Amino acid sequence: MGSSGITSLINLFITNIDVLAWPVVSLVYPLYASIREIEMKTGDDVQQWLTYWVLYSMITLFEDTFVTLVEWLTLWPYAKLMLSCWLVYFNGAAYVYQHYIRPCVVIIPPPPPPPEPVQVSKLPRRKRGSSKRDNMLAYFTQRGLEKMMHKDKPRKAPR
């Protein structure tokens, strides 16, 4: 009589594995791992666990929205359990984020406009009342820029 009780308990466990394993796989371990990441100073897996919780929320939202469809799918609890195992234990959450969520969410900024070319004519000329040193600096700066701008032009061959 004792062995039939154990057998029926094992049968009950096997027939309801999805109901018993789902909270452990999808809630208990990820909660523990998330708290551990918060307390650790390195934070290597923070993206994995944040992404997992986003995906978990999306799965729950899907179930709540399409409850009649989910009830119709007899294998949904097992598929959900397998999906949770993949997301948690095989870094599936990070994979889903990198390949499916990030390309839809991240907006690439446009490249900056090219810099406006410096025109020598816009450089300040001699100013009245300025010192001789300022005038010399402006002169040499203008001469240097003119040489740099004309440096790339082909020169005439000497005769």
Side-chain angles (χ1 to χ4, degrees), residues 7-154:
T7 307
S8 61
L9 182 65
I10 291 173
N11 285 337
L12 179 68
F13 179 74
I14 290 173
T15 56
N16 294 314
I17 187 90
D18 58 319
V19 176
L20 298 171
W22 168 251
V24 172
V25 170
S26 65
L27 291 173
V28 175
Y29 179 73
L31 182 63
Y32 165 74
S34 297
I35 291 171
R36 187 181 66 207
E37 282 300 316
I38 290 171
E39 294 300 321
M40 292 178 73
K41 300 299 181 201
T42 59
D44 294 334
D45 289 336
V46 171
Q47 181 182 1
Q48 157 70 17
W49 293 114
L50 285 174
T51 308
Y52 170 77
W53 289 114
V54 169
L55 294 173
Y56 175 80
S57 300
M58 291 173 72
I59 291 169
T60 305
L61 183 64
F62 172 79
E63 282 184 321
D64 290 345
T65 305
F66 300 105
V67 70
T68 55
L69 176 68
V70 170
E71 289 174 354
W72 185 70
L73 297 171
T74 57
L75 295 178
W76 172 249
Y78 300 106
K80 184 171 70 168
L81 179 62
M82 297 298 285
L83 179 65
S84 289
C85 287
W86 180 67
L87 290 175
V88 171
Y89 297 109
F90 298 104
N91 288 337
Y95 179 83
V96 169
Y97 177 77
Q98 287 294 329
H99 292 89
Y100 298 105
I101 296 174
R102 190 167 194 266
C104 296
V105 175
V106 175
I107 298 171
I108 300 171
E116 188 176 317
V118 177
Q119 295 180 359
V120 177
S121 61
K122 290 186 178 179
L123 287 175
R125 299 278 179 182
R126 283 187 191 173
K127 296 179 184 176
R128 292 184 186 193
S130 61
S131 68
K132 186 174 181 180
R133 191 176 102 203
D134 291 339
N135 290 337
M136 296 274 296
L137 181 63
Y139 172 76
F140 286 119
T141 304
Q142 183 176 0
R143 292 289 297 161
L145 285 173
E146 286 174 353
K147 284 181 181 179
M148 285 175 46
M149 292 182 72
H150 298 295
K151 183 171 110 177
D152 296 333
K153 293 183 179 178

Side-chain angles (χ1 to χ4, degrees), residues 1-6:
M1 196 160 210
S3 68
S4 69
I6 292 173

